[in-house]
Amino acid sequence: MRKALIAYRGVRSQETMGKLFGVSQQTWSAWEVGRATPPAKTMQKIAKMSKQSIETLFPDIFN
């Protein structure tokens, strides 16, 4: 479970976040639970928009 990514979503739906980043709700959900990982460019975009590091958002990948 990627808690920082879920916290960044906040009250917005997974569908809303998916649309914001050009993916489906199912893809965003898979990112949140760690079944899938976004491409590097998308991770950078999420990090920039959330004002958090990629390592914080995706700790299972970088730690």
Side-chain angles (χ1 to χ4, degrees):
M1 199 63 77
R2 294 172 173 155
K3 293 178 184 179
L5 188 61
I6 294 167
Y8 168 56
R9 175 168 55 90
V11 299
R12 296 174 285 191
S13 69
Q14 290 177 337
E15 183 177 2
T16 297
M17 297 305 288
K19 285 179 181 177
L20 185 61
F21 291 96
V23 298
S24 68
Q25 176 273 323
Q26 293 86 355
T27 298
W28 184 270
S29 174
W31 292 351
E32 284 188 358
V33 297
R35 279 194 320 265
T37 300
K41 197 169 195 173
T42 303
M43 282 195 284
Q44 290 172 337
K45 183 178 178 182
I46 295 169
K48 183 176 182 181
M49 290 180 73
S50 69
K51 298 181 176 144
Q52 298 181 65
S53 70
I54 293 173
E55 294 83 3
T56 298
L57 292 163
F58 303 96
D60 54 309
I61 302 299
F62 295 98
N63 296 324

